[in-house]
Amino acid sequence: MSDLADGYEISSDPARLDAGKVHRWLSDDAYWALGRTREKQDAAIAGSLNFGVYGTASGEQVAYARVVTDRATFAWLCDVYVDPSVRGKGIGTALVAAVREHLRPYGLRRLLLATQDAHGVYEKVGFAPLAEPDRWMVHLY
């Protein structure tokens, strides 16, 4: 986690999450979660491995990510969000790298994500487009 900007720390302790702030960030500003209800967000947090970035002096949460995983073969990285006030400091890249390293001991076969506009952030930590996208399918409800 040495790539994280001075004055910030990453934690996977769910007790530190500011669930209200996470909900506001995602439901008001994240294109993939606009309008998500607080109840839906709380359920997503409860069923996931969660990561927050916090100011070391203030303890204030400035970024969030969650992972849906069986901790054996597969993980889905989602809801990665960095507060606009701290963007450009490498916090998102450091957060994703920390998530990747946290998951490494599980011996997962793959870690997936979907993004519309942050490909560069994820490429910095080893993500690449699907090699065989024609093998993947989705079921939408």
Side-chain angles (χ1 to χ4, degrees), residues 28-45:
D28 292 347
D29 192 42
Y31 67 84
W32 65 91
L34 292 175
R36 184 182 290 170
T37 67
R38 176 66 190 265
E39 294 76 23
K40 184 71 77 173
Q41 184 60 47
D42 287 348
I45 288 171

Side-chain angles (χ1 to χ4, degrees), residues 4 8-11 51-55 60-64 91 95:
L4 188 60
Y8 298 96
E9 63 183 347
I10 297 171
S11 174
F51 296 83
V53 179
Y54 305 89
E60 181 181 357
Q61 187 171 352
V62 298
Y64 174 74
I91 289 172
L95 174 57

Side-chain angles (χ1 to χ4, degrees), residues 24-103:
R24 282 189 305 279
W25 281 339
L26 298 177
S27 67
D28 292 347
D29 192 42
Y31 67 84
W32 65 91
L34 292 175
R36 184 182 290 170
T37 67
R38 176 66 190 265
E39 294 76 23
K40 184 71 77 173
Q41 184 60 47
D42 287 348
I45 288 171
S48 301
L49 178 59
N50 300 277
F51 296 83
V53 179
Y54 305 89
T56 52
S58 67
E60 181 181 357
Q61 187 171 352
V62 298
Y64 174 74
R66 71 182 181 93
V67 176
V68 180
T69 183
D70 60 9
R71 292 179 169 87
T73 63
F74 177 85
W76 178 265
L77 174 62
C78 53
D79 288 346
V80 178
Y81 188 91
V82 177
D83 188 276
S85 68
V86 297
R87 289 182 187 164
K89 296 182 178 185
I91 289 172
T93 301
L95 174 57
V96 173
V99 168
R100 181 196 61 205
E101 292 310 307
H102 185 96
L103 297 172

